[in-house]
Amino acid sequence: MDSYGILSLLPPLLAVIIAIRTKNVITALFWSGLLGVFVLAGGNPITAVPMYIKDYIFVQAADGYNSSLLVMMIFIGGFVGVVTESGGASAFANRVAHIINTRCKAQLAVWFMGLLIFFSDSGNPLIIGPAFQPITDRIKVSREKLAWLLDATASPVCILIPFIGWGIFIMGLMQKEFDALHLGYTDFETFVRVIPFQFYAIGTLFMIPIVALTGREFGAMFRAEKRAIELNQPYAPGSQTARTTIDTQDVHPGATYNMMLLPLIVLFVTIFGLLIPQGFPLQPVKGAVLRSALCTGYLLGAFVCMLLMVKNKVATFKESFGMYMNGAKSVTFILMILVLAWVLGSVCKALGTANFIVELARGNIPTFAVPLLLFFVGMCISFATGSSWGTFAILIPLAIPMSVKLGAPLYASIGAVLSGGLFGDHCSPISDTTVLSAIGAACDLIDHVKTQLPYALMVCVVCSVGYLLAGIYETPLLLFGVLAGVLVMILGCSMIWGKRLSDEPDEAAAPADVAEN
């Protein structure tokens, strides 16, 4: 039997429904996988439960490739923990603050810092936000704009980096599908080839310097910026959550920017030093070699940061090791998502879910429409659940077999899933990154969502055209068309619903309402 027919659709449908209703991806993945095994067991719950644990959870967790990814995520979590808690990243942000004296410089500085702190989407707003919020207040950049800058440089940056948690997670999902379909693709090479088709992430990052350099705003963001400039009021009246600066990172006096810079240098030198003799980046590197190099780099980088903490009397070695362990423990949730996502994918293969979808789609859905369809479905799921990783876990095991068997462009289809999933993580009101960006900017959450959403939707409109064209002709050159479209949309929308705002420096100005607090 190629598939279990309509029953094969029940697990992914249940995953989407539970994720939307409960906002809990782990719950959705667990119960949807169990439902699939229940179908495989002929409806016998006594057989289904032990079968689910023994033949799926144990098997997926014990798989050599999977277990190496789980271990790697622990190394990454420990590195992020020590670099973030040491205060080094905050000290680095504070070091560059004194040269910023215009609205344009402030926005570009936040954008640039967001590109540098690429290793943590949650750490990004909590590190950069408190450091720049007093600066943006003084130069009359609204809290809503700062929150958007933080949010737009968090997940959109992380999703483009193959050697951090985001990339490792995505590559793990892809490699399982390649192995199951006996394809000759490698996860790393595919991830790199997909980057030009991550239209939403790149379009969002491209939008920031355009807005900063042109001073063009529109919609709710235009009104917020106009209020900050004309009324010298960085936050909206009545936004009680934004009345004071929220210090989310206590920085020890001994913390220095070297506590972020040196660990990153050690990380990169170690990774490239181990991979270049293997032919990287000109030749494919074995997955085991790549993963061992990454683990070594993250371990040595964390160790250097711990030594710097001891040297600068920021923490004892025992305390710094505790920071490392806290960071490692923080990825437990991600590890659970990974295992359950692999389980759901394995169950769906046993049910023939992809085969059934392909049969339904053949003759009904044009091949060129597959990337666009995946993009829209990913947007809906991620916005409703606030989880991009959960969206990836649900859609990648379906998107790759669909693309291969329908003859749709593979790289564009994967890019569409990643872009659609990223949309929700970027701007859903229940996304942790959205909430943390509002906290980091000391901005009201609803004000942040209202001002950010029009900008995100504008990029989505351009991305939709891009994925439609990518379905017809898959070429990385489409990215330039998407970026040109983003530029045209910014200028057009600002002319219709906004205008150019002044970038006059005002060193003496201090927000009156903030001073009162």
Side-chain angles (χ1 to χ4, degrees):
M1 175 181 287
D2 291 335
S3 76
Y4 277 69
I6 193 69
L7 294 178
S8 66
L9 294 179
L10 293 180
L13 287 177
L14 182 66
V16 173
I17 292 171
I18 294 179
I20 291 175
R21 292 296 299 272
T22 67
K23 320 301 181 189
N24 190 317
V25 176
I26 287 182
T27 300
L29 292 172
F30 177 84
W31 287 109
S32 59
L34 182 58
L35 174 63
V37 176
F38 183 77
V39 173
L40 291 171
N44 186 341
I46 298 177
T47 305
V49 175
M51 178 180 173
Y52 184 46
I53 296 173
K54 179 174 69 73
D55 296 339
Y56 288 93
I57 294 180
F58 283 175
V59 169
Q60 293 302 318
D63 178 84
Y65 177 83
N66 293 355
S67 60
S68 66
L69 288 186
L70 299 178
V71 171
M72 194 187 325
M73 290 298 301
I74 295 175
F75 280 103
I76 294 174
F79 174 84
V80 173
V82 295
V83 172
T84 302
E85 292 191 41
S86 70
S90 294
F92 185 82
N94 289 330
R95 185 174 178 84
V96 302
H98 69 282
I99 62 175
I100 303 167
N101 56 10
T102 69
R103 285 168 41 81
C104 178
K105 286 182 180 179
Q107 295 175 65
L108 291 177
V110 175
W111 174 70
F112 181 70
M113 285 299 300
L115 297 179
L116 287 182
I117 304 180
F118 58 83
F119 47 82
S120 173
D121 60 318
S122 58
N124 180 309
L126 296 183
I127 292 168
I128 302 174
F132 276 86
Q133 186 260 310
I135 301 171
T136 54
D137 278 0
R138 174 174 54 83
I139 304 177
K140 300 182 179 181
V141 174
S142 68
R143 301 275 180 89
E144 292 93 330
K145 170 59 77 65
L146 177 59
W148 172 66
L149 293 170
L150 296 174
D151 216 344
T153 54
S155 303
V157 172
C158 291
I159 200 173
L160 298 172
I161 310 298
F163 48 81
I164 65 172
W166 281 69
I168 300 301
F169 178 81
I170 294 166
M171 288 191 289
L173 294 174
M174 292 192 301
Q175 189 63 52
K176 295 299 292 184
E177 302 310 311
F178 296 154
D179 292 343
L181 295 170
H182 305 291
L183 300 176
Y185 298 100
T186 61
D187 52 1
F188 183 80
E189 181 183 4
T190 301
F191 186 94
V192 173
R193 288 180 177 271
V194 167
I195 288 177
F197 296 98
Q198 292 200 44
F199 295 153
Y200 183 81
I202 299 175
T204 298
L205 293 172
F206 174 74
M207 184 180 185
I208 295 174
I210 297 301
V211 169
L213 293 170
T214 63
R216 296 283 184 178
E217 310 283 356
F218 62 90
M221 188 70 78
F222 167 73
R223 294 188 291 273
E225 288 289 85
K226 186 177 180 181
R227 180 202 68 230
I229 293 173
E230 296 182 356
L231 302 180
N232 199 19
Q233 190 170 39
Y235 52 82
S239 300
Q240 296 300 317
T241 58
R243 292 194 63 77
T244 58
T245 300
I246 301 176
D247 187 5
T248 59
Q249 179 76 38
D250 293 329
V251 182
H252 190 279
T256 69
Y257 70 95
N258 284 329
M259 294 167 63
M260 184 190 86
L261 195 59
L262 288 181
L264 286 177
I265 292 174
V266 170
L267 168 66
F268 287 120
V269 169
T270 302
I271 291 174
F272 288 108
L274 292 174
L275 293 181
I276 288 176
Q278 304 296 323
F280 179 86
L282 300 178
Q283 300 176 9
V285 177
K286 292 182 179 179
V289 175
L290 174 63
R291 291 187 289 277
S292 64
L294 291 173
C295 289
T296 304
Y298 278 109
L299 179 62
L300 292 181
F303 186 67
V304 168
C305 186
M306 292 163 65
L307 291 179
L308 289 173
M309 277 192 276
V310 175
K311 177 179 180 296
N312 294 336
K313 298 181 179 180
V314 171
T316 64
F317 189 82
K318 181 180 179 180
E319 291 170 337
S320 64
F321 185 74
M323 296 178 188
Y324 184 90
M325 294 306 298
N326 288 335
K329 287 187 290 187
S330 69
V331 303
T332 303
F333 181 78
I334 297 172
L335 302 184
M336 294 175 67
I337 291 179
L338 263 175
V339 172
L340 292 176
W342 291 328
V343 168
L344 179 59
S346 180
V347 170
C348 287
K349 287 181 183 62
L351 291 171
T353 304
N355 292 334
F356 182 68
I357 292 176
V358 168
E359 290 302 319
L360 288 178
R362 185 172 286 133
N364 297 317
I365 299 177
T367 300
F368 69 84
V370 170
L372 181 61
L373 177 64
L374 291 171
F375 177 59
F376 282 144
V377 173
M379 284 178 58
C380 294
I381 295 175
S382 63
F383 188 80
T385 63
S387 171
S388 55
W389 289 36
T391 303
F392 303 155
I394 293 170
L395 288 185
I396 286 180
L398 297 177
I400 293 177
M402 279 182 62
S403 301
V404 172
K405 295 180 181 181
L406 288 175
L410 178 64
Y411 301 134
S413 297
I414 296 175
V417 170
L418 300 183
S419 288
L422 180 64
F423 171 79
D425 186 88
H426 180 210
C427 57
S428 171
I430 59 174
S431 165
D432 57 349
T433 312
T434 305
V435 174
L436 291 175
S437 297
I439 293 174
C443 172
D444 183 85
L445 174 62
I446 301 304
D447 291 339
H448 171 41
V449 173
K450 288 193 302 185
T451 51
Q452 173 167 269
L453 195 55
Y455 282 31
L457 290 174
M458 187 208 71
V459 178
C460 283
V461 170
V462 180
C463 290
S464 299
V465 178
Y467 287 121
L468 181 62
L469 295 175
I472 300 171
Y473 183 63
E474 186 183 42
T475 172
L477 295 178
L478 284 172
L479 176 61
F480 296 103
V482 170
L483 299 182
V486 170
L487 175 60
V488 171
M489 288 286 283
I490 292 172
L491 299 178
C493 291
S494 64
M495 292 178 64
I496 299 173
W497 294 294
K499 65 177 183 180
R500 187 179 189 279
L501 293 171
S502 172
D503 188 38
E504 289 296 322
D506 190 351
E507 296 288 344
D513 290 340
V514 176
E516 292 175 2
N517 290 279

